[in-house]
Amino acid sequence: MRNFNSLSAALVVALSSVAAQAQNSVPKDPVAASSQIVHLSASASAQVTQDWLVMTLAVQKEGTDAAAVQKQIKTQLASALALAQGSAQAGLLDVSTGQLSVSPRYGRDGKTNGWTGVAELVLQGRDVERITAVAGRVQGLTVSQVQWEVSPELKRQTESRIQGQAVAQFQARASALASSFGFGTYGLREVRVTNQETSGEPPQVRMASMQMDSAPSAMPVPAQAGQSRVVVNIAGSIQLK
């Protein structure tokens, strides 16, 4: 009987000790701790000159026979592709084909009265003089669109250069907020870094009518780069201490 009473007393003491440890492990004021979390953001940006030109050339043909129309646009595209590939160089002038389609043409009565075929050749890269010169020499296709962009290389370089500025601004804001709320320091809880590019000017797009009967011009196609703004955003939350 004495052994049983001793065992019961020891068990009660052990359970009391476990309960006390569990109570000590629970935050004394979880509401107050969560209220010390502050969300903030910061950013840094830089304006850069667009260095990547994308020029799209197109040919359009019409006729009553779909196969004949397709053959015409494929022949024109193949000739232009061969000429452009002679000047191609990776990164400076990349040559690729765009859309190639033949679709029905409808009259006012809603019935099919023929076929329209369109084929595209895309010239893009950093060598503006080479691209515009090739575009001027291509026969049978006309410029349908000109678009300026920031090359992936320049965008990465700019992001790397201004990322430190965004981090410094985030840290400065975090320290200022901690001080303003009467805390000595802060701890970083989470952070998200995002990048974006915005054009300082409307995209330079020129639409040219695809009149294949006009005499081709060997003059370079005029093109002028615009400006873009590369932005690094940092958003996150801090724990005031």
Coordinates of all heavy atoms in Angstrom, one line a residue, residues 24 26 31 72 98 154-155 158-159 225:
N24 N 4.9 27.5 -19.5 CA 6.0 28.4 -19.7 C 6.3 28.5 -21.2 O 6.9 29.6 -21.6 CB 7.2 27.9 -18.9 CG 7.0 28.1 -17.4 OD1 6.2 28.9 -17.0 ND2 7.7 27.2 -16.6
V26 N 4.3 28.6 -23.8 CA 3.3 29.4 -24.5 C 3.6 30.8 -24.3 O 3.9 31.3 -23.2 CB 1.8 29.1 -23.9 CG1 0.8 29.9 -24.6 CG2 1.5 27.6 -24.1
V31 N -1.1 38.1 -28.7 CA -1.7 39.2 -29.4 C -0.7 40.4 -29.5 O -0.6 41.0 -30.5 CB -3.0 39.6 -28.7 CG1 -3.6 40.9 -29.3 CG2 -4.0 38.5 -28.6
Q72 N 2.4 31.1 -103.0 CA 2.9 32.4 -103.3 C 3.6 33.0 -102.0 O 4.7 33.5 -102.1 CB 1.8 33.4 -103.8 CG 1.3 33.1 -105.2 CD 0.2 34.0 -105.6 OE1 -0.4 34.7 -104.7 NE2 -0.2 34.0 -106.8
G98 N 7.6 34.3 -88.6 CA 6.5 34.6 -87.7 C 5.3 33.7 -88.1 O 5.4 32.6 -88.5
L154 N 21.0 43.5 -70.6 CA 20.9 44.9 -70.1 C 20.0 44.9 -68.9 O 20.3 45.6 -67.9 CB 20.5 45.9 -71.1 CG 20.4 47.4 -70.7 CD1 21.8 47.8 -70.1 CD2 20.0 48.3 -71.8
K155 N 18.9 44.3 -69.0 CA 17.9 44.3 -67.9 C 18.5 43.6 -66.6 O 18.4 44.1 -65.5 CB 16.6 43.5 -68.3 CG 15.5 43.6 -67.3 CD 14.3 43.0 -67.7 CE 13.1 43.1 -66.7 NZ 11.9 42.4 -67.2
T158 N 21.2 45.9 -65.1 CA 20.6 47.1 -64.4 C 19.9 46.7 -63.1 O 20.1 47.3 -62.1 CB 19.5 47.7 -65.3 OG1 20.1 48.1 -66.6 CG2 18.9 49.0 -64.7
E159 N 19.2 45.5 -63.1 CA 18.6 45.0 -61.9 C 19.7 44.7 -60.8 O 19.5 45.0 -59.6 CB 17.8 43.7 -62.2 CG 16.6 44.0 -63.0 CD 15.9 42.7 -63.5 OE1 16.5 41.6 -63.4 OE2 14.8 42.8 -64.0
A225 N 15.4 54.3 -81.1 CA 15.1 53.7 -79.8 C 14.5 54.7 -78.8 O 14.8 55.9 -78.9 CB 16.4 53.2 -79.2

